[in-house]
């Protein structure tokens, strides 16, 4: 199991050397990736189910606060992929991948999706497979702010309106911590299957960004989110 570090980027409107910028649209974006793999196959066939939960802890204000602006929306996107490349045995082989589940903010479910694919090949032949699906429909699931009472759990609005870390998840179970997919095979002599996922959480604002203590922020560092733990935009102001 490989879990990449969180990557944080602030884009659109942060001006190098300027303590105050003209009001504009800007974003705070956080991503996390997950990866599991299998390279040993039982000649009799079997099923591989990745056990790593697709749960990401989101702290969008760990390097930046939200500045002096109005939160317009929060968008979450989950992508899930199975990939296989290998060789069949002397009797031929087949592979398939499928899965799905709900998508969650903390323990609140707001949508869910699934998908799958399969393939087969003659004896002693190359065999490949790809299967991918988003975690929601639409894939870029956007929560408009301020909270529209018609449309989603008010607990989610409370999370987005706050400043505390929270989790987003994709999978089965009451909070997305359960199974999310499986790969079934038979007649595989050798190969590699990977089960990958990534999630992106994007806060979209309109307003004026005010760096803490009026410290100039180099544009390159601002875009890369590097070394700026003490240089976040100043106080949060919601609509």
């Amino acid at each position: 199991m490989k879990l990449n570090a969180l990557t944080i980027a602030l884009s659109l409107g942060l001006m190098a050397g300027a303590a105050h910028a003209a009001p504009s649209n800007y974003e705070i974006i956080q991503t996390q990736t997950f990866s599991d793999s299998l390279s040993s196959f039982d000649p009799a066939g079997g099923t591989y189910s990745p056990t790593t939960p697709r749960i990401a802890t989101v702290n969008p204000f760990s390097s930046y606060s939200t500045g002096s602006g109005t939160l317009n929306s929060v968008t979450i996107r989950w992508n899930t992929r199975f990939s296989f490349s290998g060789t069949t045995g002397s009797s031929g082989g087949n592979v398939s991948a499928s899965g799905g589940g709900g998508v969650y903010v903390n323990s609140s479910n707001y949508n869910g999706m699934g998908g799958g694919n399969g393939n087969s090949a003659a004896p002693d032949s190359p065999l490949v497979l790809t299967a991918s699906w988003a975690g929601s429909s639409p894939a870029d699931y956007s929560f408009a702010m301020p909270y529209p009472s018609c449309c989603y759990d008010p607990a989610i609005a409370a999370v987005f309106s706050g400043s505390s870390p929270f989790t987003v998840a994709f999978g089965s179970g009451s909070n997305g911590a359960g199974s999310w997919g499986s790969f079934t095979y038979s007649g595989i002599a050798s190969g590699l299957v990977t089960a990958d996922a990534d999630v992106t959480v994007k806060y979209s604002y309109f307003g004026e960004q005010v760096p803490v203590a009026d410290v100039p922020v180099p544009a390159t560092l601002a875009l890369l989110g590097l070394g700026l733990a003490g240089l976040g935009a100043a106080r949060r102001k919601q609509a």
Side-chain angles (χ1 to χ4, degrees), residues 81-181:
R81 299 170 298 278
F82 275 92
S83 300
F84 172 78
S85 179
T87 303
T88 63
S90 59
S91 298
N94 60 79
V95 293
S96 64
S98 63
V103 278
Y104 295 80
V105 173
N106 286 341
S107 59
S108 297
N109 171 251
Y110 62 89
N111 203 253
M113 281 288 289
N117 198 8
N119 201 5
S120 61
D124 303 313
S125 300
L127 177 59
V128 297
L129 173 73
T130 58
S132 62
W133 54 88
S136 63
S137 179
D140 290 307
Y141 200 95
S142 186
F143 300 85
M145 301 295 287
Y147 162 67
S149 59
C150 67
C151 305
Y152 56 89
D153 190 336
I156 296 177
V159 168
F160 294 153
S161 298
S163 59
S164 300
F166 59 93
T167 62
V168 293
F170 172 70
S172 63
S174 60
N175 62 355
S179 173
W180 59 272

Side-chain angles (χ1 to χ4, degrees), residues 132-225:
S132 62
W133 54 88
S136 63
S137 179
D140 290 307
Y141 200 95
S142 186
F143 300 85
M145 301 295 287
Y147 162 67
S149 59
C150 67
C151 305
Y152 56 89
D153 190 336
I156 296 177
V159 168
F160 294 153
S161 298
S163 59
S164 300
F166 59 93
T167 62
V168 293
F170 172 70
S172 63
S174 60
N175 62 355
S179 173
W180 59 272
S182 63
F183 175 84
T184 300
Y185 65 92
S186 65
I188 300 302
S190 63
L192 174 68
V193 57
T194 59
D196 302 320
D198 62 77
V199 60
T200 300
V201 179
K202 178 174 68 177
Y203 276 63
S204 298
Y205 283 88
F206 180 84
E208 180 184 5
Q209 300 175 56
V210 185
V212 168
D214 291 336
V215 177
V217 180
T220 53
L221 292 184
L223 292 174
L224 292 174

Side-chain angles (χ1 to χ4, degrees), residues 59-83:
N59 185 7
F61 315 115
S62 58
S63 291
Y64 301 97
S65 63
T66 61
S68 176
T70 299
L71 177 61
N72 291 326
S73 65
V74 178
T75 301
I76 303 176
R77 182 184 181 107
W78 280 95
N79 299 309
T80 302
R81 299 170 298 278
F82 275 92
S83 300

